[in-house]
Amino acid sequence: MMCFLLLFSRQGKLRLQKWFTPLTEREKKKVIRDMTMIVLARPPRSCNFLHWKDLKIVYKRYASLYFCCGLEDPDNELLALEVLHRYVELLDKYFGNVCELDIIFNFEKAYFILDEFLQGGEVLETSKTDVRVSIEEADTLQEVREF
């Protein structure tokens, strides 16, 4: 099971965080600080997997953002890398070539897309089309409520 998912910039600014296991605020801040320091310090061509404490860390850089997740020991690192890639694909579909500013100014949509895709640290829906349809329905509902 995925324990957390973090998105941060090359400068170490946290852009999105999702926790699937209960941690105190102090523990969360320590994990965020450690992940940004460890991942940003790694050379560009190094492996995207590493071990940290009792977790496997999987990360991938897309443009100026790092997508990083912590996995429990029995989980598959390649599957986690595919999950990160699928999330980026979903963001790309919605925002049209997603960038850091899209995440900053539309963070609620980024969280909504993540919630439609992942729940409790597990993949909820594998179909990009079904997730996109769900997001479009939510957008339509929001537009109707605004009028």
Side-chain angles (χ1 to χ4, degrees), residues 7 35-36 48 58 69 91 93 115 124 133 136 139 146:
L7 269 69
M35 287 303 98
T36 54
N48 290 357
V58 177
C69 66
L91 291 171
K93 279 267 196 229
D115 290 339
L124 179 65
V133 166
E136 289 171 358
D139 283 346
E146 290 176 356

Side-chain angles (χ1 to χ4, degrees), residues 14-97:
L14 186 66
R15 298 303 182 199
L16 185 137
Q17 60 180 323
K18 186 71 173 182
W19 302 91
F20 302 110
T21 55
L23 294 173
T24 65
E25 286 301 313
R26 188 175 190 182
E27 292 171 324
K28 288 179 184 179
K29 287 180 182 177
K30 179 160 177 34
V31 169
I32 292 167
R33 186 177 61 245
D34 288 352
M35 287 303 98
T36 54
M37 285 176 41
I38 291 169
V39 170
L40 292 175
R42 290 176 65 87
R45 296 277 183 209
S46 63
C47 179
N48 290 357
F49 312 129
L50 57 105
H51 286 278
W52 178 78
K53 295 189 178 181
D54 60 340
L55 296 175
K56 296 178 193 175
I57 306 302
V58 177
Y59 70 94
K60 180 78 172 145
R61 179 178 166 196
Y62 291 94
S64 64
L65 285 174
Y66 283 92
F67 291 72
C68 175
C69 66
L71 307 173
E72 292 176 341
D73 196 41
D75 291 336
N76 186 334
E77 298 96 332
L78 293 175
L79 185 60
L81 199 58
E82 188 61 32
V83 167
L84 293 178
H85 185 70
R86 178 60 56 100
Y87 182 50
V88 171
E89 286 178 333
L90 290 168
L91 291 171
D92 273 344
K93 279 267 196 229
Y94 185 79
F95 292 112
N97 200 9

Side-chain angles (χ1 to χ4, degrees), residues 1 11 19 22 30 48 50 70 94 103 106 113 120-121 123 129 131 140:
M1 180 179 92
Q11 293 77 30
W19 302 91
K30 179 160 177 34
N48 290 357
L50 57 105
Y94 185 79
I103 303 294
N106 298 298
I113 293 168
V123 176
T129 305
V131 173
T140 304

